[in-house]
Amino acid sequence: MGHCVAISFPAVEAFYWVAQLHSFKAAAERLHITQPTVSYRIGELEEQLGVVLFIRQRRQVTLTSEGEAMKRYAEAMIGIARDIESNIKTRNTKLPTLRVGVMDSFATVGLPALLDELDARFSGTRVAATVDTSHSLARQLAEGLLDVALLSTPPKHDNVALELLGRQSVEWIAGTRLGMKREFVSDGDLLAQRVFSTPAPSNLHDLITNSLSSSSTLGLRLNVCNNLSVILNLVETGSGISILPVRLVREQLARGIVHILETPSKLPMQDVFIGTNKGAVVRALPQVTQMIRKVSSDVAFCG
């Protein structure tokens, strides 16, 4: 009769992060252990399974075919561990640092309320918030630098799980000081103005370049800024125009400080997601997700 191999969960966790980050050193940093410890755990797992999981190269490691198969099991095992943490340990609300990322448009209208909710629910826990573009947040989730993030139309990462929160409208926005006409604005009218964007790769950069014909983009006076609040301020003062979420400029629209430009083609609605890393064993994630949904609804971020 065969015997059951007692696979070490720390070894599975070490395997998962090496597979995701393609580096023993990066996995060690993510797990807050030494690189030799990661190497030992991987070696132990390979010996128990009787297979080679990684092809070790000078600068990075890649998965073997057996490693690719093991990766699916590792994700499932970590998912079960997360469920146990969430459903069995719910009475203990004290956590290590909770790392939350939010896209810049949400930070302006909803981050203070979300931080208040998190501080009230997880007293004694250090909540570290990161405000960035959705592309950057997705990358940080994939690398295990964030536990959960609110982001819009992010690039695909195999180890990032996305849960749809809702959709938001975006429009070309101009300040009334600019004196630009509102209706039937052509590509030529847009190109005559200074256009503000976050740096590529970002949703805003993609929206701006994709909304114009390929021939028109050659004359684009694109000005790059990595802070959406600064971009909004520049638009308000009449320094230029940009594509912005309608929710972000709701108060300015009501006060007549800015207005929507009616262009020939309608800009697509943007999907908003709550993202998590499939390998993050943080028991509070269901509660944090629920809080993000509540705050998003309270401030009418989507819709």
Side-chain angles (χ1 to χ4, degrees):
M1 182 181 293
H3 64 280
C4 179
V5 178
I7 295 176
S8 159
F9 182 77
V12 172
E13 199 173 24
F15 163 80
Y16 174 86
W17 286 109
V18 173
Q20 292 300 337
L21 303 177
H22 307 287
S23 165
F24 281 70
K25 179 181 179 182
E29 292 173 352
R30 170 62 182 80
L31 294 169
H32 306 293
I33 57 179
T34 65
Q35 188 171 335
T37 300
V38 171
S39 298
Y40 173 80
R41 290 179 181 177
I42 298 299
E44 180 184 41
L45 186 60
E46 289 180 323
E47 184 176 351
Q48 285 181 314
L49 297 175
V51 297
V52 175
L53 297 170
F54 294 105
I55 300 171
R56 293 157 173 82
Q57 299 171 321
R58 183 173 297 179
R59 295 194 173 182
Q60 71 171 21
V61 293
T62 56
L63 287 166
T64 62
S65 57
E66 291 84 1
E68 289 285 357
M70 180 61 197
K71 182 181 173 183
R72 293 190 290 272
Y73 287 112
E75 287 184 356
M77 290 174 70
I78 289 171
I80 292 170
R82 182 191 295 176
D83 287 344
I84 292 171
E85 288 279 342
S86 174
N87 294 310
I88 304 301
K89 285 191 172 183
T90 51
R91 292 185 181 180
N92 181 3
T93 59
K94 189 169 183 179
L95 302 165
T97 299
L98 180 64
R99 303 162 305 168
V100 180
V102 297
M103 59 193 199
D104 37 17
S105 58
F106 179 82
T108 303
V109 298
L111 183 56
L114 179 60
L115 291 176
D116 286 345
E117 290 273 351
L118 292 171
D119 288 342
R121 175 66 177 81
F122 304 110
S123 58
T125 295
R126 179 174 176 266
V127 178
T130 297
V131 180
D132 212 328
T133 64
S134 293
H135 280 63
S136 179
L137 292 174
R139 176 183 54 77
Q140 292 177 64
L141 272 176
E143 294 176 0
L145 301 175
L146 294 173
D147 299 313
V148 61
L150 179 69
L151 59 176
S152 176
T153 54
K156 179 177 172 54
H157 293 275
D158 289 340
N159 63 328
V160 173
L162 298 174
E163 182 181 329
L164 186 65
L165 177 65
R167 308 181 82 197
Q168 63 173 353
S169 301
V170 293
E171 298 283 0
W172 278 102
I173 303 294
T176 52
R177 290 186 186 180
L178 193 60
M180 190 175 179
K181 68 178 183 178
R182 304 185 186 193
E183 298 178 351
F184 311 114
V185 178
S186 67
D187 282 3
D189 295 324
L190 298 175
L191 294 171
Q193 303 297 330
R194 185 183 289 108
V195 178
F196 295 107
S197 171
T198 47
S202 69
N203 291 339
L204 180 52
H205 189 276
D206 291 344
L207 274 168
I208 289 171
T209 54
N210 292 338
S211 68
L212 299 168
S213 63
S214 57
S215 59
S216 297
T217 54
L218 296 174
L220 184 62
R221 298 167 57 193
L222 196 63
N223 292 252
V224 174
C225 174
N226 61 5
N227 188 309
L228 203 61
S229 295
V230 173
I231 290 177
L232 174 55
N233 184 62
L234 290 166
V235 171
E236 287 179 16
T237 57
S239 299
I241 62 176
S242 186
I243 294 176
L244 295 169
V246 174
R247 175 61 184 88
L248 182 64
V249 297
R250 186 173 68 182
E251 293 181 8
Q252 290 85 345
L253 286 168
R255 291 157 54 196
I257 298 173
V258 302
H259 56 255
I260 294 171
L261 302 176
E262 295 186 17
T263 56
S265 57
K266 183 70 176 173
L267 294 171
M269 294 279 285
Q270 302 296 293
D271 291 329
V272 180
F273 297 94
I274 299 171
T276 56
N277 188 293
K278 295 177 182 177
V281 183
V282 180
R283 64 178 177 272
L285 285 182
Q287 294 96 312
V288 175
T289 297
Q290 186 178 15
M291 290 178 194
I292 291 174
R293 287 190 174 278
K294 177 183 180 300
V295 172
S296 175
S297 176
D298 289 345
V299 301
F301 185 67
C302 295

